[in-house]
């Protein structure tokens, strides 16, 4: 419900949209109940490996570019003196 001035009088929206009637999250399963599924560790490890591979490729490429620039600058410097 909107009021003049753009402020909302709806209780749910006024409190940031939180629902106070939802159940609390249990940390321990009840007797005879299986625990909640855990995140797949191997999938996380493969993502980390992929990220490390991308970072290492980027760093190697940046190092090669820096080396080439240094060699070109050195060659220009030698040509200018000779």
């Amino acid at each position: 419900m909107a009021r003049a001035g753009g402020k909302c009088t709806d209780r749910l929206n006024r409190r940031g949209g939180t629902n106070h009637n939802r159940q609390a999250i249990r940390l321990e399963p009840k007797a005879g109940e299986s625990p909640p599924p855990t995140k797949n560790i191997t999938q996380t490890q493969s993502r980390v490996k992929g990220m490390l591979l991308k970072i290492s490729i980027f760093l190697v490429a940046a190092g090669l570019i820096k080396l080439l620039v240094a060699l070109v600058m050195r060659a220009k410097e030698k040509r200018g003196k000779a």
Side-chain angles (χ1 to χ4, degrees):
M1 324 273 171
R3 195 180 354 165
K7 292 188 177 180
C8 187
T9 58
D10 184 26
R11 185 173 152 213
L12 189 65
N13 289 334
R14 191 173 56 224
R15 292 186 182 265
T18 58
N19 184 359
H20 298 288
N21 294 329
R22 76 180 136 182
Q23 293 179 346
I25 298 171
R26 290 187 320 245
L27 298 177
E28 302 166 354
K30 287 184 179 178
E33 195 177 84
S34 63
T38 57
K39 191 173 183 179
N40 190 354
I41 295 174
T42 55
Q43 183 181 8
T44 304
Q45 288 174 346
S46 67
R47 284 184 180 177
V48 170
K49 285 181 183 178
M51 187 71 85
L52 287 174
L53 180 66
K54 289 176 185 177
I55 290 172
S56 61
I57 290 172
F58 171 76
L59 291 175
V60 168
L64 287 174
I65 290 171
K66 188 175 178 180
L67 180 66
L68 288 174
V69 169
L71 290 174
V72 168
M73 297 289 281
R74 196 174 194 187
K76 282 185 179 180
E77 184 181 308
K78 283 185 178 179
R79 246 191 288 158
K81 287 185 179 178

